[in-house]
Amino acid sequence: MLDTTKKIKSEERAVLVGVVHKDQTEQQVQEYLDELAFLAETAGAVCVKKFVQKLGHPDSKTYIGKGKLEEIRNYVQSRDIDLMIFDDELSGSQITNIEKGSGIKVIDRSDLILDIFARRAKTAQAKAQVELAQYQYILPRLRGMWKHLERLGGGIGTRGPGETEIETDRRIVRDKISLLRKRLVEIDKQAFTQRKERGEFIRVALVGYTNVGKSTIMNLLSKSEVLAENKLFATLDTTTRKIVYETTPFLLSDTVGFIRKLPHHLVESFKSTLDEVREADILLHIVDISHPAHEDQLGVVNKTLQELNAFDKPMLTIFNKMDLYIKNTFDEWLDESTKQQILEDLKGRWVHETAGNAIFISALERTNIDELRQTILDKGRELYRIRYPYKTEFFY
Ligand SMILES: Nc1nc2c(ncn2[C@@H]2O[C@H](COP(=O)(O)OP(=O)(O)OP(=O)(O)O)[C@@H](O)[C@H]2O)c(=O)[nH]1
Ligand SMILES: [Mg+2]
């Protein structure tokens, strides 16, 4: 009946579909599709082509217009394509209609992200969180997923045997959801007790868009070996390590990355993993300065932090991948003083926008890491002094 297992098989050939809405530019949508392609590749698919359509209003039945759907159908049928991936969220009936119109499997961005999370989840907590989000995603789409309903013909779909089966499925899904919620409450209780035992440590959390270098920085600062790779959502579970800088102990946590249009249910169900962010004393917001959309990414992260009620904490913004930025921006003809000027302007702008709380590093080339450590230490000590004035002597 219900299938929450992998949607994408390895090496499946996919086409991507994006819509330019009223308030968007074509270039923006192309960037979104680049990110969608990265997501699809992370899930094991091979992206063959991107289709874009400008639309005032998405079609209620097929999301894109009939002509576009026809064009895509002609393309996929002659080229052995397995899968169509939409950048926007689709309803259950839209998925069914597009599948009928194209003859191939259709998924949307949320579904793809859930699929990646499901593959990446290792711990019991992460698995339960992803499963919960998957069932919540499925619940309003059950009707569309019941393909055999089509055979019942028009007008009958709201009653008869199909409806009973949908109701049965809905009940099963609701039961699953409440079971998973209960399981997560239990896991949360244990995690809460563990976190309480951490006492007076200053807690620092690495946050940021996915693939910006959080785990690489975690490894650098804490000598741990968290998986860091050039794929989206390499990290799902929070890892926490104790680090001591000049006798001041900190707890440093590496957390799951954010992305634009993160399925709402996923944020909801990952709230407990993100407790580490909510309960942190200091946030290290990592930004990949070499990414063309880094400003958008920074905005997405700040918005997600607001949703988590974690935006009002002391924050240091770390602009990472400076090596790549320099490589991408400067060509060999540019003279040294112009390069310096460009770098100073860039840094000046961000130092201003973050009220002085910005730092520029390359985790890969280990540039400016000592300065980063010193800044974390200064901020940590400042907090410790405010919080435990009577104990401060111990550290100095
Ligand atoms: N050029 C360059 N690459 C970097 C730098 N820091 C990290 N990377 C690379 O960026 C990729 C992502 O790094 P991760 O540390 O896994 O990023 P993350 O933010 O933990 O990513 P997720 O856990 O997937 O959200 C890896 O291939 C790193 O080697 C840097 O300073 N320069
Ligand atoms: Mg990571």
Side-chain angles (χ1 to χ4, degrees):
M1 185 230 18
L2 293 167
D3 185 14
T4 56
T5 54
K6 290 176 196 166
K7 292 272 164 62
I8 298 181
K9 293 183 208 85
S10 188
E11 301 296 304
E12 266 189 326
R13 287 158 56 80
V15 294
L16 310 182
V17 186
V19 164
V20 185
H21 298 283
K22 266 191 236 143
D23 50 346
Q24 293 172 327
T25 63
E26 179 141 3
Q27 196 204 337
Q28 259 176 331
V29 176
Q30 286 294 350
E31 268 173 27
Y32 297 162
L33 287 184
D34 287 345
E35 184 173 84
L36 190 70
F38 199 178
L39 281 166
E41 281 155 21
T42 295
V46 180
C47 294
V48 181
K49 191 172 165 68
K50 295 169 184 153
F51 290 91
V52 172
Q53 183 175 39
K54 268 197 185 133
L55 268 185
H57 298 283
D59 189 284
S60 62
K61 294 206 175 75
T62 53
Y63 201 78
I64 46 173
K66 281 203 178 59
K68 200 64 174 180
L69 188 56
E70 183 76 27
E71 182 192 333
I72 299 176
R73 186 181 54 194
N74 290 338
Y75 183 91
V76 300
Q77 287 188 343
S78 58
R79 283 176 184 79
D80 196 22
I81 306 288
D82 310 286
L83 178 66
M84 203 192 293
I85 309 176
F86 277 70
D87 195 46
D88 293 303
E89 200 158 286
L90 302 173
S91 70
S93 65
Q94 282 169 337
I95 291 178
T96 312
N97 291 334
I98 304 167
E99 282 185 347
K100 263 199 282 182
S102 66
I104 59 171
K105 184 166 63 176
V106 173
I107 64 170
D108 65 14
R109 182 187 173 90
S110 295
D111 216 359
L112 176 59
I113 294 175
L114 287 169
D115 200 46
I116 295 172
F117 269 62
R119 285 156 199 262
R120 300 270 185 183
K122 295 270 164 9
T123 60
Q125 186 186 27
K127 281 183 183 157
Q129 285 169 328
V130 178
E131 220 182 319
L132 174 60
Q134 282 180 314
Y135 279 116
Q136 284 170 325
Y137 173 87
I138 284 174
L139 192 57
R141 291 176 174 77
L142 275 176
R143 181 183 299 278
M145 287 174 182
W146 269 100
K147 296 245 176 72
H148 71 259
L149 259 187
E150 294 156 22
R151 277 180 263 128
L152 293 176
I156 307 174
T158 49
R159 240 176 273 142
E163 191 62 16
T164 323
E165 283 170 313
I166 291 175
E167 262 322 306
T168 314
D169 274 5
R170 282 203 184 113
R171 209 177 48 241
I172 295 170
V173 172
R174 283 200 200 100
D175 288 350
K176 274 266 182 200
I177 288 175
S178 70
L179 194 80
L180 285 162
R181 282 215 174 103
K182 275 186 207 136
R183 195 182 300 160
L184 281 168
V185 168
E186 278 309 306
I187 299 175
D188 276 0
K189 269 190 212 150
Q190 292 164 13
F192 181 72
T193 319
Q194 278 170 6
R195 286 203 304 272
K196 247 179 40 187
E197 284 160 10
R198 290 176 186 170
E200 295 168 358
F201 288 106
I202 295 290
R203 286 161 63 177
V204 182
L206 292 155
V207 295
Y209 211 77
T210 181
N211 209 43
V212 293
K214 297 179 295 300
S215 299
T216 311
I217 294 171
M218 171 81 180
N219 291 341
L220 213 58
L221 294 179
S222 70
K223 299 193 182 72
S224 45
E225 284 178 21
V226 178
L227 171 75
E229 57 177 350
N230 193 20
K231 283 193 172 167
L232 301 181
F233 302 112
T235 308
L236 281 199
D237 297 299
T238 305
T239 308
T240 302
R241 294 275 181 280
K242 183 177 159 189
I243 49 173
V244 182
Y245 290 160
E246 297 178 18
T247 71
T248 306
F250 293 90
L251 287 175
L252 182 66
S253 296
D254 181 24
T255 62
V256 59
F258 301 150
I259 197 165
R260 65 177 265 280
K261 292 199 210 167
L262 196 59
H264 174 70
H265 296 311
L266 210 49
V267 180
E268 271 301 308
S269 63
F270 265 73
K271 278 226 158 104
S272 48
T273 295
L274 292 165
D275 277 345
E276 208 63 58
V277 174
R278 235 178 322 202
E279 293 171 13
D281 302 304
I282 301 169
L283 297 181
L284 304 181
H285 178 170
I286 320 297
V287 177
D288 173 358
I289 189 91
S290 74
H291 197 288
H294 64 267
E295 285 198 55
D296 279 354
Q297 297 186 345
L298 186 140
V300 168
V301 172
N302 285 339
K303 212 170 127 241
T304 315
L305 288 173
Q306 274 163 0
E307 277 171 43
L308 292 167
N309 291 328
F311 194 58
D312 55 349
K313 295 178 186 296
M315 191 199 282
L316 177 67
T317 308
I318 302 173
F319 294 89
N320 187 33
K321 306 199 190 179
M322 280 301 282
D323 61 296
L324 206 56
Y325 173 82
I326 289 170
K327 205 171 127 212
N328 295 346
T329 316
F330 299 155
D331 63 32
E332 51 189 304
W333 311 109
L334 215 58
D335 62 85
E336 216 35 59
S337 71
T338 314
K339 283 185 195 170
Q340 285 311 322
Q341 192 57 49
I342 292 174
L343 282 178
E344 266 165 41
D345 287 352
L346 175 85
K347 290 180 183 176
R349 186 194 145 196
W350 284 114
V351 167
H352 176 73
E353 291 207 11
T354 58
N357 290 301
I359 195 162
F360 303 83
I361 68 161
S362 160
L364 198 72
E365 297 189 345
R366 307 191 172 205
T367 319
N368 244 3
I369 304 304
D370 288 341
E371 192 189 330
L372 173 61
R373 278 204 187 95
Q374 189 60 47
T375 313
I376 298 172
L377 178 63
D378 292 345
K379 280 198 174 297
R381 280 190 170 161
E382 196 182 308
L383 269 182
Y384 202 89
R385 221 175 277 143
I386 295 167
R387 198 174 296 170
Y388 309 109
Y390 52 95
K391 278 194 178 168
T392 308
E393 276 167 42
F394 173 75
F395 287 117
Y396 300 98

